[in-house]
Amino acid sequence: MLLHLRKYRILNFDTLFVPSHFLQAFIDEVMERGGITDQFSIDAAGAGFELAILVGGIIIGGYVDKTKQYKDITLKCILFTMFLLLPLGLTDHRLGNEPLLLVMALLGLGMACGPVQPINAELAVDVTYPGDETAVESVQQIGGNLASALLVPVAEIALEQDYQLLPQFPALASDIRGDVVLLAALAGATYVFFSGFDSPLRRTEADNAAGGSTNGDAIDVAAIGVEAESLSGNGASNGEILPNGTKEGGSGTSSEENKLLQDMNS
């Protein structure tokens, strides 16, 4: 299970860390080819991207923390990442550059790929419970960041590539950058691979079992209290109270019941 965990974690880091690391390193080039050349605007777009990662992590991560829908939300984030990568490198020749579309896609990409790391860090700890949380997260961080560091230079080389799409149809002609093709392909491969991930949430199961046991104990205590009340009522109405505190006669409580009541009162 841990080997399987490492495999899907490295792929997740490849696709979700590489876009963020790539954009952080080459934000100038990405913005300039989209028609944004002013340095202040480029810096503002980069700051917005980082803020979007933070906001996405808080909102989506908080939702997953409550629902435990790790896999479903991760797959949705990967799909949105693939979709939002396209405007960063796809140029329609008829429309030309669309700076507003580029910035909106950049912010959306930050919100989509940002939460994946904390979500899957929590998932890794959950499925490997009761393993060492620090060891699990360390393996993820080292493996993921190493894979990301190796792929960013490859994406940089792909940045120089430009592929023409439908040049024979002027109304549909466009071009797409090689880096976007690479990153979208990695995201697609991760989506297919992670779709087969199916490990039990061991920590969640343990927490639920512990919670059920606690609730059961509370119900048993309440039942004992009700039973004791009933015994006390029956004894008072049907039995005669003797000087030593016991009851006698009628359908009152037995000596064993009297002992139980005295023990509870003490």
Side-chain angles (χ1 to χ4, degrees):
M1 181 178 64
L2 184 56
L3 178 60
H4 185 66
L5 176 67
R6 289 177 182 175
K7 288 181 180 178
Y8 93 79
R9 282 300 302 160
I10 289 176
L11 277 174
N12 273 346
F13 275 102
D14 285 349
T15 56
L16 280 308
F17 266 30
V18 171
S20 60
H21 288 172
F22 177 81
L23 289 172
Q24 290 164 353
F26 302 104
I27 187 70
D28 289 16
E29 289 83 351
V30 173
M31 294 292 103
E32 286 173 1
R33 75 188 182 194
I36 300 176
T37 57
D38 178 64
Q39 189 59 48
F40 176 78
S41 299
I42 293 174
D43 293 341
F49 177 68
E50 298 292 343
L51 182 61
I53 291 177
L54 176 63
V55 172
I58 293 174
I59 296 175
I60 300 177
Y63 173 78
V64 173
D65 188 52
K66 293 180 180 179
T67 63
K68 305 300 181 184
Q69 297 180 19
Y70 299 107
K71 180 179 178 179
D72 184 54
I73 298 301
T74 297
L75 291 175
K76 285 183 172 61
C77 286
I78 295 174
L79 281 179
F80 277 107
T81 296
M82 293 172 59
F83 175 75
L84 293 169
L85 276 169
L86 296 179
L88 302 183
L90 180 65
T91 302
D92 189 308
H93 294 171
R94 186 168 58 89
L95 295 177
N97 294 327
E98 293 290 338
L100 179 59
L101 176 62
L102 178 66
V103 172
M104 296 301 294
L106 182 68
L107 298 179
L109 181 61
M111 292 196 67
C113 70
V116 172
Q117 191 276 331
I119 288 174
N120 284 270
E122 189 71 16
L123 172 61
V125 172
D126 206 322
V127 300
T128 58
Y129 179 86
D132 187 344
E133 296 184 13
T134 303
V136 172
E137 294 185 358
S138 296
V139 168
Q140 295 170 351
Q141 290 289 342
I142 294 172
N145 283 296
L146 176 61
S148 179
L150 293 174
L151 282 169
V152 165
V154 178
E156 182 182 4
I157 296 173
L159 177 65
E160 305 299 328
Q161 307 301 316
D162 192 22
Y163 302 98
Q164 300 296 319
L165 303 177
L166 304 175
Q168 65 274 28
F169 302 103
L172 301 175
S174 58
D175 65 86
I176 188 169
R177 300 283 183 172
D179 55 327
V180 170
V181 175
L182 174 64
L183 298 178
L186 285 171
T190 300
Y191 183 90
V192 173
F193 186 89
F194 190 59
S195 297
F197 178 77
D198 185 23
S199 292
L201 305 179
R202 299 181 184 277
R203 186 178 67 178
T204 300
E205 291 174 353
D207 291 343
N208 291 340
S213 175
T214 302
N215 292 337
D217 292 343
I219 292 174
D220 290 339
V221 171
I224 292 175
V226 171
E227 182 181 357
E229 240 181 77
S230 174
L231 290 174
S232 177
N234 289 337
S237 58
N238 297 323
E240 179 183 356
I241 301 177
L242 298 178
N244 62 0
T246 60
K247 294 180 176 59
E248 180 181 67
S251 59
T253 58
S254 64
S255 60
E256 291 82 1
E257 293 169 344
N258 280 317
K259 183 177 181 181
L260 173 61
L261 290 173
Q262 289 173 1
D263 290 341
M264 292 183 64
N265 290 332
S266 62

